[in-house]
Amino acid sequence: MDLIQEYIACAKACALTDYADKKSVRLHNESVKRMYKIAEKIVSEQLPESIEAFVQLLDINDCNTNIWAAVHMLELIPVDKSTEEKALQIIKKQAAADGPDALGFKLWLDSI
């Protein structure tokens, strides 16, 4: 499986997390760790097609893939200013929402 498809699969695993099930939570945590490792590998390899493919994840709303990608991109992957702004807008939208994650995204935005 290529790295981008694996990243999408990890995002899906996170979206399906049942927090009442320890095994599901463990899979979620491992998936998050793997997504970070994938982003780090894309940066270390410096392959333009890998970074370009990762940027395209910002357009995938299914399973919050775009949200995960935005966070990892802003933390780890050097991108052009317009891509950075697109990623920031995704996070700002989450921070402005009423959901339980909004506060976490607000704090995250304050930390970058």
Side-chain angles (χ1 to χ4, degrees):
M1 177 183 302
D2 80 352
L3 291 175
I4 298 300
Q5 290 305 313
E6 185 179 356
Y7 190 94
I8 292 169
C10 287
K12 183 176 183 177
C14 288
L16 297 174
T17 302
D18 173 2
Y19 290 98
D21 177 8
K22 288 181 182 181
K23 186 176 178 182
S24 181
V25 172
R26 198 171 306 118
L27 176 61
H28 176 277
N29 293 341
E30 290 302 316
S31 295
V32 171
K33 288 178 191 174
R34 183 62 188 149
M35 285 189 284
Y36 269 102
K37 288 187 185 296
I38 290 169
E40 289 169 348
K41 184 170 183 159
I42 287 171
V43 170
S44 70
E45 291 180 358
Q46 293 293 309
L47 301 174
E49 59 274 5
S50 294
I51 292 175
E52 183 178 312
F54 196 88
V55 168
Q56 291 175 5
L57 292 173
L58 294 176
D59 296 322
I60 301 175
N61 296 326
D62 294 341
C63 301
N64 295 327
T65 301
N66 60 335
I67 299 167
W68 286 108
V71 169
H72 295 141
M73 190 174 302
L74 292 168
E75 289 181 349
L76 302 169
I77 300 176
V79 292
D80 61 61
K81 198 67 174 165
S82 66
T83 303
E84 181 180 311
E85 187 56 37
K86 183 176 183 177
L88 271 172
Q89 289 307 313
I90 290 169
I91 301 302
K92 287 177 181 178
K93 182 178 177 183
Q94 295 302 307
D98 291 330
D101 296 333
L103 178 60
F105 284 112
K106 286 176 190 170
L107 294 171
W108 185 86
L109 283 168
D110 289 342
S111 73
I112 62 167

